[in-house]
Amino acid sequence: MEQKHHYTGLSDQQVLESRKQHGENVLTPPEKESLWVQFLEKFTDPIIIILLVALVLSVGVSCYEFFSGHVGISTFFEPAGILIAVLLATVVGFCFELSANKKFEVLNKVNDDTLVKVIRNGNICQISKKEVVVGDVVILETGEEVPADGELLEAVSLQINESTLTGEPVIKKTTNPARFEKDATYPSNHALKGTTVADGHGIMQVVKVGDATEYGKVYEGAQIDSSVETPLNQQLDRLAGMITKASYAIAGLIIAGRLISYFIGPETFDWISFGGYFLQTVMIAVTVIVVAVPEGLPMSVTLSLALSMKRMLSTNNLVRKMHACETMGAATVICTDKTGTLTQNQMKIYETRFYDAAGSQCGLERQSTGKEAALIREGIAVNSTAYLDLSDPAKIKALGNPTEGALLLWLHDNGINYLPLRENAGIVEQLTFSTERKYMATLVNSPLLNKKVLYVKGAPEIVLDMCKTVPVAKDEIYAQLLEYQNKAMRTLGFAYQIIEDDEVYIREGRLQNADLTLIGIVAISDPVRAEVPEAVTNCLNAGIGVKIVTGDTPGTAKEIGRQIGLWDRNEDESHHLTGTEFAALSDESLLERILSLKILSRARPMDKQRLVQLLQQKNQVVAVTGDGTNDAPALNAAQVGLSMGDGTSVAKEASDITILDNSFSSISRAVMWGRSLYQNIQRFILFQMTINVAACIIVLIGAFLGTESPLTVTQMLWVNLIMDTFAALALASLPPNEKVMKDKPRKTTDYIISKPMAKGIMGTGIIFVALLFGLLQYFKHADVTSLSAFSPADFASNFFNFGAGGGLSSYELSLFFTIFVLLQFWNMFNAKAFLSGKSAFASLGKCSGFLAIAAVILFGQWLIVTVGGEMFKVEPLRWNDWGIIIGSTSLVLWIGEVVRLFK
């Protein structure tokens, strides 16, 4: 490489001093939480905390009953059941997330041992990347990664791919202040760590290393724990608070009520009898608290999320963090990167306009006879420094300058292999593209014409000025170029000259004596992914705001916004900001216009993170999409970070979900999954809370009537733990409902139990209580050996008969237990139909999982009653009683169907 100056670089002593002062050129790895800490974090779930409190109280009561001799070892079944519920919910969630995290291990770790060329002690030498220090003079060549941040001392045709930091694939670099780009994201005379040299070469002096580099700042920003609570967590917090207050209130009511009834009773006061009575009252109150806690809820939420994680993977959404499944459904804003997310991140030919000598447009289809077609093919092949990677025919990649790569891909798409054309043409002389010249020229011995040919390509205005022969009117070409440039496309002009003499045409880095003929122009763009416009429209129709956040120019960003339906040509300019304008505004000013902002161009990585945090201050649930290292801080700060499958490892590490197919349409599917999942969780809460309300009221009534609960601890464990877990699986297995995309996003302040749910829970719960209480009264005053002898008249007459009756037989307890379970069983079908606006039988054929689990619950109940014996305090029921119970309790479903029909 020709050097304009002689650089001596640092001495060995200066290297040591610089390393001591500025540190090594390595990134400080984030501290990883131990597996134990990750597991213990699962116990911070609000419902789990309530269960732990209930567990402590239950253990206390069980210990008292066991050591006082009142009850045997069976008294510990209840605390054991609660402990199992806690462990199942936490272990399952932990294992699923651990498995997902393994898939997210960074595959492309930064290799700090890569060799780079530096000048030290006046000599050029190679050192490992991690040994680079501030002050080092580094030589940069095409294809190499920049090892640290530095200021350019020399730049010859230097173009750098900054897509990992700004989203822009090619940035022209120069040391000439007159050519500095004023609105560039980073200075035109700076090269940054983690970027790669796309073309040309240069020399830079290192100014920052390691964590102090722009790449290091982004990496550090990606590790900052945003600690943003998900909407579901917030809603479960409120639900836990409501359950806690309700259960404590009922427990307080029981204690107060029973104490009042004791003191106003006819018995004389006695401290010993009062002590026993008070202890019994406290135990009943604790029982209410334990019954009120939905033991199956944490497990059901975990199972729902885990099942959704697995099923979302089949739709190209690899979920790393469980709650991200549901949080996508609550998203109100999606901040999306442009390059690689909205666009294909591969430059392609948008349109060609090549001309023959008569001024007619021509193309490669005339290759058999047209001289111009031959010149086009050969000119593109030889006047280029790019290559194609053809190792994978399904995914051909351009290597080198992306613009030149687009031209080679165009040849390939037209069935032409550029390599034989390039190899057969002997290059006599070549001027590579430079930002100063703005053109590239190659003189070759053409085997196609058996003559020397000079090929030139570059900025159309420059090429046109050098052409003496133009087959069409220049005004026509300029008009076409303006149309392309208004669409934020890159344009190139092509010209040639057939050399008939021995004149020198290239001297001192410039063309001279050229007599060029214009052969045409091309427009090149990074095209929008085909599915993006429809996916963006779906998101907008679902009430989700979409904002483009890119490091690209304002013109390009607006044009992409127009193509995807986000930006109109008459759009208010206040809906757009550049990174410089954004940084200059205060948080207060931005908060006033942040919701209406549609495009943020020339954005730096930390601008994206600030945008996310400001939106969150406006109570927005933010999802961020991105594929570059520059997106990592924003991905981490958002409630949901969505990285692309072919994005950088840092971006994937910072994200919650990876879109494996890089498709924006997969994001709208993730929203649909999230909203459907939230509905399924609501359905389960409707189902479970109905059981808990009924159980609580029964215990409350029993406390004042002095009767024991007809449901044993083991029976309640079956209902609250096993059956509810199966019900959770059944409801979670329901397919997603596309109609949810017509709804607006829910507010973060909404209660997870909506008004319709509250009415359903209380209404159905009270009806169940009335029916079950009536059955208790009937069984107490009638000796029931079969339901075939059931008397509605006796049922009605005994409802308010509070006189002394007989105890319940084992068969009656079995009947009561089975009726209680089957009422909940049929109510599960009502829960399935909740929010669907359809019959519970609608789409039942597509819900094979739901039907299978319903069958398992029914079989499980029969098995427990048939063989449960002493453990469950049951005995087998007659087949005719099974038929009567199934038929009569199914009225719960049929009444629900009638209500839905009229609604």
Side-chain angles (χ1 to χ4, degrees):
M1 186 181 87
E2 185 182 344
Q3 290 177 264
K4 297 176 184 177
H5 304 92
H6 178 69
Y7 302 102
T8 57
L10 299 177
S11 66
D12 293 340
Q13 183 60 35
Q14 287 173 321
V15 168
L16 294 174
E17 290 172 358
S18 179
R19 186 172 292 127
K20 184 178 180 181
Q21 182 179 353
H22 301 285
E24 290 192 324
N25 189 33
V26 292
L27 300 177
T28 305
E31 289 186 14
K32 294 254 181 182
E33 290 182 335
S34 67
L35 292 180
W36 274 111
V37 172
Q38 293 177 45
F39 177 64
L40 291 175
E41 281 179 356
K42 293 294 167 194
F43 289 87
T44 60
D45 185 283
I47 304 294
I48 293 290
I49 291 172
I50 293 183
L51 276 178
L52 292 173
V53 173
L55 175 63
V56 172
L57 295 172
S58 182
V59 167
V61 171
S62 297
C63 286
Y64 169 78
E65 290 182 333
F66 178 74
F67 291 113
S68 64
H70 294 129
V71 187
I73 196 69
S74 61
T75 187
F76 289 102
F77 283 157
E78 183 169 310
I82 297 173
L83 181 62
I84 291 169
V86 170
L87 291 177
L88 277 175
T90 51
V91 171
V92 168
F94 172 72
C95 290
F96 267 90
E97 287 195 0
L98 194 64
S99 172
N101 277 330
K102 286 181 181 177
K103 297 174 185 175
F104 272 79
E105 288 294 325
V106 180
L107 299 176
N108 303 314
K109 291 185 178 178
V110 178
N111 186 356
D112 293 322
D113 293 322
T114 304
L115 295 178
V116 295
K117 290 185 284 292
V118 298
I119 300 174
R120 286 184 179 175
N121 301 307
N123 298 313
I124 296 176
C125 59
Q126 284 189 316
I127 61 171
S128 64
K129 190 188 299 181
K130 66 182 178 184
E131 291 177 352
V132 172
V133 298
V134 171
D136 262 330
V137 176
V138 178
I139 298 172
L140 301 174
E141 295 183 350
T142 302
E144 293 180 347
E145 184 177 300
V146 181
D149 287 4
E151 183 176 348
L152 291 168
L153 303 174
E154 291 183 18
V156 179
S157 304
L158 186 61
Q159 297 183 62
I160 291 184
N161 183 341
E162 286 187 355
S163 59
T164 57
L165 278 176
T166 66
E168 293 187 74
V170 175
I171 301 295
K172 296 171 183 175
K173 296 294 183 179
T174 179
T175 56
N176 184 352
R179 297 180 180 275
F180 286 0
E181 191 176 344
K182 292 180 181 178
D183 63 344
T185 310
Y186 295 105
S188 297
N189 64 334
H190 277 220
L192 305 172
K193 179 181 174 67
T195 61
T196 51
V197 179
D199 198 8
H201 48 83
I203 297 176
M204 76 169 192
Q205 186 166 33
V206 176
V207 293
K208 290 180 181 177
V209 294
D211 293 336
T213 62
E214 291 299 318
Y215 191 94
K217 291 175 186 175
V218 172
Y219 185 77
E220 185 181 358
Q223 311 306 328
I224 297 169
D225 183 12
S226 58
S227 299
V228 177
E229 200 172 21
T230 66
L232 182 62
N233 269 337
Q234 292 173 353
Q235 291 175 305
L236 288 176
D237 272 336
R238 286 195 286 272
L239 177 62
M242 186 191 74
I243 292 171
T244 302
K245 290 173 185 175
S247 59
Y248 287 171
I250 295 173
L253 250 158
I254 289 172
I255 293 172
R258 281 177 59 89
L259 287 178
I260 291 169
S261 64
Y262 180 85
F263 283 114
I264 64 174
E267 295 130 354
T268 57
F269 181 80
D270 177 77
W271 279 107
I272 295 175
S273 62
F274 172 74
Y277 180 85
F278 181 75
L279 190 59
Q280 185 187 21
T281 300
V282 170
M283 287 170 63
I284 293 171
V286 170
T287 303
V288 167
I289 293 172
V290 172
V291 168
V293 176
E295 286 94 339
L297 183 56
M299 185 64 178
S300 72
V301 172
T302 301
L303 284 174
S304 298
L305 293 171
L307 192 60
S308 290
M309 278 178 79
K310 186 176 179 182
R311 293 170 73 182
M312 284 175 75
L313 185 58
S314 66
T315 61
N316 295 306
N317 288 280
L318 175 58
V319 181
R320 179 187 185 188
K321 296 173 184 174
M322 268 194 181
H323 280 284
C325 298
E326 184 280 328
T327 307
M328 270 309 297
T332 57
V333 177
I334 296 176
C335 296
T336 176
D337 183 37
K338 178 189 73 70
T339 307
T341 306
L342 299 178
T343 65
Q344 298 175 17
N345 196 17
Q346 185 170 51
M347 305 303 289
K348 290 188 176 180
I349 302 297
Y350 171 76
E351 191 172 76
T352 63
R353 288 190 176 240
F354 291 116
Y355 305 99
D356 59 18
S360 301
Q361 286 194 43
C362 68
L364 300 184
E365 65 275 3
R366 294 180 58 184
Q367 69 182 72
S368 58
T369 58
K371 181 183 77 172
E372 287 80 7
L375 289 168
I376 293 167
R377 296 195 306 274
E378 187 176 68
I380 291 175
V382 301
N383 193 26
S384 172
T385 57
Y387 291 87
L388 292 184
D389 179 358
L390 302 171
S391 57
D392 182 2
K395 195 173 183 181
I396 297 169
K397 294 179 181 178
L399 305 177
N401 185 290
T403 305
E404 291 186 341
L407 293 167
L408 297 183
L409 284 168
W410 180 70
L411 282 183
H412 184 271
D413 291 341
N414 282 277
I416 298 166
N417 187 347
Y418 76 97
L419 208 51
L421 290 169
R422 184 181 292 179
E423 290 172 348
N424 292 334
I427 296 177
V428 178
E429 203 165 356
Q430 188 175 70
L431 286 177
T432 58
F433 183 87
S434 76
T435 53
E436 290 80 15
R437 284 190 304 267
K438 294 191 176 179
Y439 64 83
M440 177 177 180
T442 303
L443 181 63
V444 300
N445 288 313
S446 171
L448 298 177
L449 302 176
N450 292 317
K451 295 179 180 179
K452 287 183 181 179
V453 180
L454 175 65
Y455 291 106
V456 178
K457 76 168 186 292
E461 298 84 358
I462 303 294
V463 174
L464 267 171
D465 286 343
M466 292 192 296
C467 288
K468 292 184 179 178
T469 306
V470 180
V472 293
K474 284 190 176 183
D475 288 344
E476 181 184 332
I477 293 175
Y478 282 125
Q480 187 60 55
L481 287 172
L482 183 63
E483 182 183 329
Y484 292 146
Q485 287 159 2
N486 284 339
K487 293 180 180 178
M489 294 181 184
R490 296 180 183 180
T491 53
L492 282 177
F494 293 81
Y496 72 96
Q497 179 181 345
I498 297 175
I499 307 299
E500 305 281 2
D501 52 37
D502 295 325
E503 282 281 344
V504 176
Y505 290 92
I506 298 176
R507 178 174 290 171
E508 295 179 356
R510 293 278 174 183
L511 281 179
Q512 64 177 20
N513 305 321
D515 183 10
L516 298 176
T517 299
L518 183 77
I519 197 170
I521 58 174
V522 300
I524 302 173
S525 67
D526 180 7
V528 167
R529 294 179 184 271
E531 73 284 352
V532 166
E534 183 184 356
V536 169
T537 301
N538 289 340
C539 288
L540 294 174
N541 291 340
I544 301 170
V546 178
K547 301 182 189 297
I548 297 176
V549 187
T550 177
D552 220 327
T553 64
T556 303
K558 289 176 185 177
E559 175 57 25
I560 295 299
R562 187 193 64 78
Q563 291 181 31
I564 66 174
L566 188 65
W567 187 266
D568 189 82
R569 292 202 184 276
N570 300 318
E571 191 80 37
D572 189 339
E573 278 298 320
S574 67
H575 297 165
H576 164 260
L577 283 173
T578 64
T580 306
E581 294 167 342
F582 183 81
L585 290 171
S586 65
D587 286 357
E588 292 73 19
S589 300
L590 284 171
L591 285 171
E592 292 177 5
R593 59 188 294 190
I594 202 82
L595 294 180
S596 61
L597 184 68
K598 290 186 177 181
I599 296 175
L600 178 61
S601 61
R602 289 298 190 194
R604 297 192 181 197
M606 304 316 284
D607 292 338
K608 299 182 183 184
Q609 185 183 39
R610 184 185 176 203
L611 174 67
V612 170
Q613 291 167 340
L614 287 170
L615 285 166
Q616 288 168 344
Q617 287 182 39
K618 298 290 284 186
N619 294 320
Q620 300 296 301
V621 178
V622 186
V624 171
T625 73
D627 65 341
T629 302
N630 57 315
D631 300 310
L635 287 168
N636 194 56
Q639 279 97 337
V640 183
L642 300 138
S643 61
M644 297 296 119
D646 59 1
T648 66
S649 55
V650 176
K652 291 178 186 177
E653 183 71 18
S655 66
D656 305 299
I657 298 175
T658 291
I659 309 299
L660 297 178
D661 61 354
N662 304 312
S663 169
F664 197 90
S665 62
S666 293
I667 296 169
S668 62
R669 285 200 298 272
V671 172
M672 181 186 70
W673 271 102
R675 292 186 176 186
S676 299
L677 172 61
Y678 180 73
Q679 284 192 350
N680 287 344
I681 291 172
Q682 281 188 309
R683 290 179 178 122
F684 178 77
I685 290 173
L686 174 70
F687 167 78
Q688 170 136 58
M689 292 306 291
T690 303
I691 297 175
N692 285 52
V693 165
C696 268
I697 296 175
I698 287 174
V699 172
L700 185 62
I701 293 171
F704 286 102
L705 294 180
T707 59
E708 290 186 10
S709 172
L711 297 171
T712 66
V713 171
T714 48
Q715 289 172 357
M716 282 305 295
L717 283 178
W718 156 250
V719 173
N720 272 349
L721 189 58
I722 311 303
M723 178 184 164
D724 285 354
T725 299
F726 281 123
L729 275 173
L731 294 170
S733 69
L734 296 177
N737 181 7
E738 292 186 7
K739 287 186 178 180
V740 297
M741 293 301 285
K742 295 179 181 178
D743 301 331
K744 299 300 178 188
R746 71 180 192 271
K747 296 178 181 177
T748 54
T749 53
D750 289 348
Y751 276 95
I752 198 166
I753 297 180
S754 61
K755 287 183 180 179
M757 286 176 68
K759 290 178 182 176
I761 290 169
M762 294 307 298
T764 307
I766 289 170
I767 292 170
F768 283 0
V769 167
L771 179 61
L772 293 168
F773 178 74
L775 277 174
L776 274 178
Q777 292 291 83
Y778 176 69
F779 288 161
K780 278 173 64 178
H781 297 91
D783 187 16
V784 179
T785 56
S786 174
L787 288 178
S788 56
F790 178 78
S791 168
D794 288 347
F795 178 86
S797 62
N798 284 311
F799 193 90
F800 294 106
N801 183 1
F802 298 117
L808 271 61
S809 67
S810 178
Y811 195 81
E812 288 171 335
L813 285 170
S814 300
L815 288 171
F816 185 87
F817 173 46
T818 304
I819 291 169
F820 180 80
V821 169
L822 267 291
L823 286 173
Q824 318 306 331
F825 173 81
W826 292 114
N827 195 42
M828 184 175 71
F829 286 81
N830 286 334
K832 171 190 175 292
F834 180 67
L835 295 172
S836 68
K838 298 178 181 178
S839 163
F841 297 101
S843 306
L844 206 56
K846 298 178 182 178
C847 304
S848 55
F850 180 88
L851 291 174
I853 295 168
V856 168
I857 292 173
L858 201 58
F859 174 75
Q861 181 62 24
W862 173 83
L863 193 67
I864 284 173
V865 172
T866 305
V867 301
E870 183 62 27
M871 183 178 180
F872 282 90
K873 301 288 192 261
V874 290
E875 61 180 72
L877 299 180
R878 297 179 179 86
W879 283 111
N880 64 319
D881 284 342
W882 273 108
I884 292 170
I885 292 172
I886 292 172
S888 58
T889 54
S890 69
L891 283 171
V892 172
L893 171 59
W894 302 119
I895 292 170
E897 286 292 285
V898 171
V899 171
R900 283 186 287 276
L901 180 65
F902 282 101
K903 280 188 176 180

